[in-house]
Protein backbone atom coordinates (compact mmCIF):
# COMPACT_ATOMS: atom_id res chain seq x y z
CA UNK A 1 0.00 0.00 0.00
CA UNK A 2 1.23 3.48 -0.84
CA UNK A 3 2.04 5.79 2.06
CA UNK A 4 -0.43 8.56 2.69
CA UNK A 5 -0.01 12.30 3.04
CA UNK A 6 -2.22 15.14 4.22
CA UNK A 7 -2.74 17.99 1.79
CA UNK A 8 -2.01 20.92 4.07
CA UNK A 9 -3.87 21.82 7.25
CA UNK A 10 -7.41 21.65 5.93
CA UNK A 11 -7.03 19.29 2.97
CA UNK A 12 -7.83 15.59 2.72
CA UNK A 13 -5.47 12.68 3.36
CA UNK A 14 -4.45 11.04 0.07
CA UNK A 15 -1.92 8.58 -1.33
CA UNK A 16 1.55 10.16 -1.45
CA UNK A 17 1.40 9.95 -5.24
CA UNK A 18 -1.81 10.78 -7.06
CA UNK A 19 -2.72 10.01 -10.66
CA UNK A 20 -2.99 12.74 -13.30
CA UNK A 21 -5.84 11.79 -15.65
CA UNK A 22 -5.29 14.46 -18.33
CA UNK A 23 -3.25 12.35 -20.74
CA UNK A 24 -6.12 9.89 -21.07
CA UNK A 25 -8.07 12.52 -23.02
CA UNK A 26 -5.88 15.48 -23.92
CA UNK A 27 -2.60 17.13 -24.80
CA UNK A 28 -0.47 14.05 -25.48
CA UNK A 29 -1.94 12.99 -28.83
CA UNK A 30 -5.15 11.03 -29.47
CA UNK A 31 -7.42 10.25 -26.52
CA UNK A 32 -7.54 6.70 -25.18
CA UNK A 33 -10.65 4.66 -25.92
CA UNK A 34 -13.17 5.31 -23.12
CA UNK A 35 -13.01 1.70 -21.86
CA UNK A 36 -9.20 1.74 -21.85
CA UNK A 37 -9.21 5.04 -19.96
CA UNK A 38 -11.58 3.60 -17.36
CA UNK A 39 -9.38 0.51 -17.01
CA UNK A 40 -6.28 2.69 -16.56
CA UNK A 41 -7.87 4.71 -13.75
CA UNK A 42 -9.10 1.56 -12.04
CA UNK A 43 -5.60 0.07 -12.32
CA UNK A 44 -4.42 3.04 -10.28
CA UNK A 45 -7.15 2.46 -7.66
CA UNK A 46 -6.18 -1.23 -7.43
CA UNK A 47 -2.58 -0.21 -6.76
CA UNK A 48 -3.53 2.09 -3.88
CA UNK A 49 -3.87 5.50 -5.52
CA UNK A 50 -6.60 7.54 -3.83
CA UNK A 51 -6.07 10.96 -5.44
CA UNK A 52 -7.22 11.68 -9.02
CA UNK A 53 -6.74 14.87 -10.98
CA UNK A 54 -8.96 16.04 -13.83
CA UNK A 55 -10.42 19.29 -15.21
CA UNK A 56 -13.37 20.56 -17.20
CA UNK A 57 -10.81 21.63 -19.83
CA UNK A 58 -9.40 18.14 -20.47
CA UNK A 59 -11.11 16.91 -23.60
CA UNK A 60 -12.84 19.31 -22.93
CA UNK A 61 -15.47 17.65 -20.72
CA UNK A 62 -14.70 14.03 -21.72
CA UNK A 63 -11.95 13.45 -19.15
CA UNK A 64 -14.32 14.21 -16.27
CA UNK A 65 -16.83 11.77 -17.76
CA UNK A 66 -14.23 8.98 -17.94
CA UNK A 67 -13.04 9.75 -14.41
CA UNK A 68 -16.63 9.75 -13.13
CA UNK A 69 -17.42 6.41 -14.74
CA UNK A 70 -14.14 4.82 -13.59
CA UNK A 71 -14.39 5.95 -9.97
CA UNK A 72 -18.14 5.58 -9.33
CA UNK A 73 -17.71 2.14 -7.66
CA UNK A 74 -14.95 3.52 -5.42
CA UNK A 75 -16.53 6.85 -4.51
CA UNK A 76 -15.90 6.58 -0.77
CA UNK A 77 -12.27 5.52 -1.18
CA UNK A 78 -10.97 8.26 -3.44
CA UNK A 79 -10.46 12.02 -3.58
CA UNK A 80 -11.31 13.63 -6.94
CA UNK A 81 -9.92 17.03 -7.87
CA UNK A 82 -11.20 19.05 -10.81
CA UNK A 83 -10.79 22.60 -12.12
CA UNK A 84 -12.75 25.54 -13.54
CA UNK A 85 -11.47 28.75 -15.03
CA UNK A 86 -11.27 28.55 -18.81
CA UNK A 87 -14.03 29.93 -21.00
CA UNK A 88 -15.29 26.87 -22.87
CA UNK A 89 -18.34 26.94 -25.14
CA UNK A 90 -20.65 23.89 -25.27
CA UNK A 91 -19.05 22.91 -28.61
CA UNK A 92 -15.63 22.82 -26.95
CA UNK A 93 -14.27 26.03 -28.49
CA UNK A 94 -12.57 28.38 -26.07
CA UNK A 95 -12.86 32.08 -25.22
CA UNK A 96 -9.98 32.72 -22.84
CA UNK A 97 -10.32 32.74 -19.06
CA UNK A 98 -13.63 32.92 -17.19
CA UNK A 99 -13.77 32.90 -13.40
CA UNK A 100 -16.88 35.05 -13.04
CA UNK A 101 -18.76 33.73 -9.99
CA UNK A 102 -21.85 32.83 -12.06
CA UNK A 103 -19.64 30.87 -14.44
CA UNK A 104 -17.91 29.08 -11.55
CA UNK A 105 -21.35 27.98 -10.30
CA UNK A 106 -22.37 26.68 -13.74
CA UNK A 107 -19.10 24.81 -14.25
CA UNK A 108 -19.29 23.26 -10.77
CA UNK A 109 -22.81 21.96 -11.50
CA UNK A 110 -21.66 20.51 -14.83
CA UNK A 111 -18.60 18.89 -13.22
CA UNK A 112 -20.81 17.35 -10.49
CA UNK A 113 -22.96 15.78 -13.21
CA UNK A 114 -20.04 14.50 -15.29
CA UNK A 115 -18.16 13.17 -12.27
CA UNK A 116 -21.35 11.58 -10.91
CA UNK A 117 -20.63 12.86 -7.39
CA UNK A 118 -22.66 14.77 -4.82
CA UNK A 119 -19.68 16.93 -3.90
CA UNK A 120 -16.40 17.81 -5.61
CA UNK A 121 -13.63 16.88 -3.17
CA UNK A 122 -11.20 19.57 -4.36
CA UNK A 123 -12.10 22.35 -6.80
CA UNK A 124 -9.20 24.35 -8.22
CA UNK A 125 -9.23 27.57 -10.19
CA UNK A 126 -7.21 26.40 -13.24
CA UNK A 127 -5.66 29.81 -14.02
CA UNK A 128 -6.05 33.16 -12.29
CA UNK A 129 -8.46 35.39 -14.24
CA UNK A 130 -7.10 38.96 -14.15
CA UNK A 131 -10.63 40.31 -14.81
CA UNK A 132 -12.09 38.84 -11.60
CA UNK A 133 -10.73 39.74 -8.14
CA UNK A 134 -9.49 36.58 -6.47
CA UNK A 135 -11.61 37.46 -3.42
CA UNK A 136 -14.74 37.07 -5.59
CA UNK A 137 -13.50 33.69 -6.85
CA UNK A 138 -12.75 32.50 -3.32
CA UNK A 139 -16.17 33.81 -2.22
CA UNK A 140 -17.92 31.85 -4.96
CA UNK A 141 -16.14 28.64 -3.96
CA UNK A 142 -16.84 29.39 -0.27
CA UNK A 143 -20.55 29.54 -1.12
CA UNK A 144 -20.35 26.20 -2.98
CA UNK A 145 -18.63 24.72 0.08
CA UNK A 146 -21.42 26.12 2.26
CA UNK A 147 -23.98 24.40 0.02
CA UNK A 148 -22.14 21.07 0.34
CA UNK A 149 -21.32 20.95 -3.39
CA UNK A 150 -17.56 21.33 -2.91
CA UNK A 151 -15.36 20.16 -0.05
CA UNK A 152 -12.04 21.96 -0.61
CA UNK A 153 -10.69 24.96 -2.54
CA UNK A 154 -7.52 24.99 -4.62
CA UNK A 155 -5.58 27.27 -6.98
CA UNK A 156 -3.38 26.37 -9.94
CA UNK A 157 -0.37 28.37 -11.16
CA UNK A 158 -1.30 31.29 -8.90
CA UNK A 159 1.32 33.68 -7.55
CA UNK A 160 2.12 33.94 -3.81
CA UNK A 161 0.24 37.22 -3.29
CA UNK A 162 -2.88 35.83 -4.95
CA UNK A 163 -2.71 32.69 -2.82
CA UNK A 164 -2.58 34.81 0.34
CA UNK A 165 -5.54 36.97 -0.74
CA UNK A 166 -7.63 33.95 -1.66
CA UNK A 167 -6.77 32.19 1.59
CA UNK A 168 -8.00 35.17 3.60
CA UNK A 169 -11.52 34.61 2.17
CA UNK A 170 -11.66 30.81 1.96
CA UNK A 171 -8.98 28.45 3.28
CA UNK A 172 -6.98 27.05 0.35
CA UNK A 173 -6.35 23.32 0.76
CA UNK A 174 -3.92 22.89 -2.14
CA UNK A 175 -1.98 24.78 -4.79
CA UNK A 176 -1.15 22.95 -8.01
CA UNK A 177 1.69 24.25 -10.19
CA UNK A 178 4.37 22.80 -12.40
CA UNK A 179 7.31 21.61 -10.28
CA UNK A 180 10.01 19.10 -11.07
CA UNK A 181 13.76 18.78 -11.35
CA UNK A 182 13.68 20.90 -14.50
CA UNK A 183 11.02 23.40 -13.33
CA UNK A 184 12.05 24.82 -9.98
CA UNK A 185 9.92 28.00 -10.17
CA UNK A 186 7.81 27.35 -7.02
CA UNK A 187 11.04 27.39 -4.96
CA UNK A 188 12.02 30.75 -6.41
CA UNK A 189 8.76 32.67 -6.78
CA UNK A 190 7.57 32.39 -3.16
CA UNK A 191 4.77 29.88 -3.84
CA UNK A 192 6.21 27.03 -1.79
CA UNK A 193 7.09 29.46 1.00
CA UNK A 194 3.52 30.81 1.01
CA UNK A 195 2.12 27.26 1.13
CA UNK A 196 4.39 26.41 4.04
CA UNK A 197 3.48 29.58 5.95
CA UNK A 198 -0.27 29.12 5.43
CA UNK A 199 -0.40 25.32 5.82
CA UNK A 200 -1.47 24.68 2.23
CA UNK A 201 -0.69 21.42 0.45
CA UNK A 202 1.26 21.53 -2.83
CA UNK A 203 0.54 19.34 -5.86
CA UNK A 204 3.29 19.36 -8.51
CA UNK A 205 1.90 18.87 -12.02
CA UNK A 206 4.04 17.48 -14.84
CA UNK A 207 6.30 16.03 -12.10
CA UNK A 208 8.06 13.92 -14.73
CA UNK A 209 8.70 16.97 -16.90
CA UNK A 210 5.92 15.85 -19.28
CA UNK A 211 7.85 12.60 -19.74
CA UNK A 212 11.28 14.13 -20.34
CA UNK A 213 12.71 13.14 -16.94
CA UNK A 214 11.89 9.46 -17.46
CA UNK A 215 14.75 8.94 -19.91
CA UNK A 216 12.35 7.59 -22.55
CA UNK A 217 12.52 10.68 -24.77
CA UNK A 218 15.52 10.97 -27.05
CA UNK A 219 16.82 13.93 -29.06
CA UNK A 220 15.03 12.59 -32.15
CA UNK A 221 11.77 11.32 -30.57
CA UNK A 222 8.82 12.59 -32.62
CA UNK A 223 5.50 13.44 -31.00
CA UNK A 224 2.00 13.07 -32.47
CA UNK A 225 0.90 16.24 -34.30
CA UNK A 226 -1.60 17.09 -31.52
CA UNK A 227 0.94 16.61 -28.69
CA UNK A 228 1.52 19.89 -26.80
CA UNK A 229 5.23 19.14 -26.52
CA UNK A 230 5.62 20.18 -30.18
CA UNK A 231 4.93 23.73 -28.93
CA UNK A 232 7.12 23.64 -25.80
CA UNK A 233 10.40 25.50 -26.33
CA UNK A 234 12.10 23.04 -23.97
CA UNK A 235 11.31 20.13 -26.26
CA UNK A 236 12.58 21.90 -29.42
CA UNK A 237 15.34 19.75 -30.95
CA UNK A 238 18.29 22.03 -30.08
CA UNK A 239 17.05 22.61 -26.51
CA UNK A 240 16.36 18.92 -26.03
CA UNK A 241 19.92 18.07 -27.06
CA UNK A 242 21.26 20.25 -24.23
CA UNK A 243 18.59 19.28 -21.69
CA UNK A 244 19.30 15.58 -22.06
CA UNK A 245 22.33 16.20 -19.82
CA UNK A 246 19.82 16.26 -16.93
CA UNK A 247 18.52 12.85 -17.95
CA UNK A 248 22.13 11.57 -17.93
CA UNK A 249 22.37 12.74 -14.31
CA UNK A 250 19.11 10.99 -13.40
CA UNK A 251 20.29 7.80 -15.09
CA UNK A 252 23.62 7.87 -13.24
CA UNK A 253 22.21 8.69 -9.79
CA UNK A 254 19.24 6.38 -10.31
CA UNK A 255 21.59 3.48 -11.02
CA UNK A 256 23.38 4.21 -7.71
CA UNK A 257 20.04 4.18 -5.85
CA UNK A 258 18.51 1.24 -7.69
CA UNK A 259 15.83 3.57 -9.08
CA UNK A 260 14.72 4.48 -12.59
CA UNK A 261 15.02 8.14 -13.66
CA UNK A 262 11.24 8.56 -13.28
CA UNK A 263 11.36 7.16 -9.76
CA UNK A 264 14.28 9.40 -8.86
CA UNK A 265 12.43 12.48 -10.19
CA UNK A 266 9.29 11.65 -8.16
CA UNK A 267 11.15 10.63 -4.99
CA UNK A 268 13.08 13.92 -5.13
CA UNK A 269 9.77 15.82 -5.12
CA UNK A 270 8.41 13.72 -2.24
CA UNK A 271 11.60 14.46 -0.27
CA UNK A 272 11.09 18.24 -0.52
CA UNK A 273 8.17 18.55 1.94
CA UNK A 274 5.77 16.11 3.64
CA UNK A 275 2.79 18.09 2.27
CA UNK A 276 3.75 17.66 -1.39
CA UNK A 277 1.74 15.17 -3.46
CA UNK A 278 2.86 14.79 -7.12
CA UNK A 279 0.35 13.61 -9.73
CA UNK A 280 2.25 11.84 -12.53
CA UNK A 281 0.21 10.75 -15.55
CA UNK A 282 0.65 7.74 -17.80
CA UNK A 283 -1.53 5.67 -20.10
CA UNK A 284 0.44 2.47 -19.41
CA UNK A 285 0.04 0.18 -16.41
CA UNK A 286 3.73 -0.85 -16.29
CA UNK A 287 4.72 2.83 -16.08
CA UNK A 288 2.08 3.48 -13.42
CA UNK A 289 3.65 0.71 -11.33
CA UNK A 290 7.13 2.08 -11.96
CA UNK A 291 6.04 5.57 -10.90
CA UNK A 292 4.30 4.34 -7.74
CA UNK A 293 7.54 2.60 -6.77
CA UNK A 294 8.91 6.07 -6.03
CA UNK A 295 6.71 6.36 -2.92
CA UNK A 296 8.78 3.64 -1.24
CA UNK A 297 12.11 5.43 -1.81
CA UNK A 298 13.43 7.40 1.14
CA UNK A 299 16.31 9.70 0.36
CA UNK A 300 18.71 10.92 3.02
CA UNK A 301 19.50 14.63 3.13
CA UNK A 302 22.85 13.74 1.49
CA UNK A 303 21.05 11.98 -1.40
CA UNK A 304 18.88 15.03 -1.99
CA UNK A 305 21.94 17.32 -1.90
CA UNK A 306 23.76 15.12 -4.39
CA UNK A 307 20.81 15.19 -6.82
CA UNK A 308 20.44 18.95 -6.49
CA UNK A 309 24.14 19.65 -6.91
CA UNK A 310 24.36 17.49 -10.02
CA UNK A 311 21.15 19.01 -11.46
CA UNK A 312 22.27 22.57 -10.72
CA UNK A 313 25.25 22.18 -13.06
CA UNK A 314 22.84 21.92 -15.99
CA UNK A 315 21.23 25.07 -17.32
CA UNK A 316 17.88 24.06 -18.86
CA UNK A 317 17.33 25.53 -22.30
CA UNK A 318 13.91 26.84 -23.39
CA UNK A 319 10.81 27.96 -21.52
CA UNK A 320 8.53 25.24 -20.12
CA UNK A 321 5.54 26.44 -22.16
CA UNK A 322 4.99 28.76 -25.12
CA UNK A 323 5.03 32.47 -24.23
CA UNK A 324 1.25 33.00 -24.69
CA UNK A 325 0.48 30.10 -22.32
CA UNK A 326 3.05 31.19 -19.75
CA UNK A 327 1.44 34.63 -19.60
CA UNK A 328 -1.60 33.00 -17.97
CA UNK A 329 0.47 31.80 -15.01
CA UNK A 330 1.48 33.45 -11.77
CA UNK A 331 -0.98 36.29 -11.64
N1 LIG B 1 -2.92 22.56 -13.46
C1 LIG B 1 -2.45 22.52 -14.69
O1 LIG B 1 -2.45 23.52 -15.39
C2 LIG B 1 -1.91 21.23 -15.23
C3 LIG B 1 -1.10 21.23 -16.37
C4 LIG B 1 -0.60 20.01 -16.84
C5 LIG B 1 -0.92 18.83 -16.16
N2 LIG B 1 -1.73 18.87 -15.06
C6 LIG B 1 -2.07 17.63 -14.32
O2 LIG B 1 -0.87 16.97 -13.96
C7 LIG B 1 -0.90 15.63 -14.41
C8 LIG B 1 0.50 15.15 -14.74
O3 LIG B 1 1.15 16.03 -15.64
P1 LIG B 1 1.55 15.61 -17.12
O4 LIG B 1 0.76 14.43 -17.54
O5 LIG B 1 1.51 16.84 -17.94
O6 LIG B 1 3.09 15.27 -17.02
P2 LIG B 1 3.97 14.09 -16.36
O7 LIG B 1 3.18 13.33 -15.40
O8 LIG B 1 5.22 14.79 -15.93
O9 LIG B 1 4.36 13.21 -17.65
C9 LIG B 1 3.41 12.53 -18.41
C10 LIG B 1 4.13 11.98 -19.63
O10 LIG B 1 5.17 11.11 -19.20
C11 LIG B 1 5.02 9.82 -19.75
N3 LIG B 1 5.36 8.88 -18.66
C12 LIG B 1 4.76 8.77 -17.45
N4 LIG B 1 5.38 7.85 -16.69
C13 LIG B 1 6.40 7.37 -17.43
C14 LIG B 1 7.42 6.41 -17.19
N5 LIG B 1 7.51 5.77 -16.04
N6 LIG B 1 8.31 6.16 -18.20
C15 LIG B 1 8.24 6.82 -19.38
N7 LIG B 1 7.31 7.75 -19.66
C16 LIG B 1 6.38 8.03 -18.69
C17 LIG B 1 3.59 9.73 -20.22
O11 LIG B 1 3.49 8.94 -21.39
P3 LIG B 1 2.60 7.61 -21.44
O12 LIG B 1 1.21 8.02 -21.16
O13 LIG B 1 2.83 7.15 -22.84
O14 LIG B 1 3.19 6.70 -20.41
C18 LIG B 1 3.26 11.19 -20.55
O15 LIG B 1 3.65 11.48 -21.87
C19 LIG B 1 -1.85 15.67 -15.61
O16 LIG B 1 -2.38 14.40 -15.89
C20 LIG B 1 -2.89 16.66 -15.15
O17 LIG B 1 -3.86 16.01 -14.34
C21 LIG B 1 -2.22 20.06 -14.59
Amino acid sequence: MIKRRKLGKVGPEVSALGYGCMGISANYGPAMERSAGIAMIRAAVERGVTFFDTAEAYGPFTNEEVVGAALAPFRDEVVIATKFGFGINPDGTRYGLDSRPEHIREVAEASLRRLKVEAIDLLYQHRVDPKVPIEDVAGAVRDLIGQGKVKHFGLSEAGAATIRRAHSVQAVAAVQSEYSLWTRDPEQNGVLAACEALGIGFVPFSPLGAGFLTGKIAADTEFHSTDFRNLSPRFAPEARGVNLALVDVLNRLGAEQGATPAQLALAWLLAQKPWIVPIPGTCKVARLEENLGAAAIEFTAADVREIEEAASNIVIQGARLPEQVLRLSEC
Side-chain angles (χ1 to χ4, degrees), residues 19-23 28 53-54 58 83 126-127 156-157 176-177 204-212 214 216 228-229 262 279-284 287-288 290-291:
Y19 176 74
C21 300
M22 179 183 81
Y28 287 103
D53 189 78
T54 181
Y58 303 158
K83 314 182 192 82
H126 211 150
R127 287 292 180 279
S156 175
E157 295 268 299
Q176 177 178 135
S177 298
F205 76 70
S206 299
L208 297 169
F212 190 76
T214 68
K216 296 294 190 309
F228 89 96
R229 290 171 291 191
I279 48 167
T282 176
C283 300
K284 300 177 177 71
R287 290 178 173 183
L288 168 73
E290 175 189 343
N291 297 345

Side-chain angles (χ1 to χ4, degrees), residues 266-284:
L266 294 173
W268 174 79
L269 279 171
L270 288 169
Q272 298 308 304
K273 298 287 176 190
W275 37 268
I276 285 184
V277 180
I279 48 167
T282 176
C283 300
K284 300 177 177 71

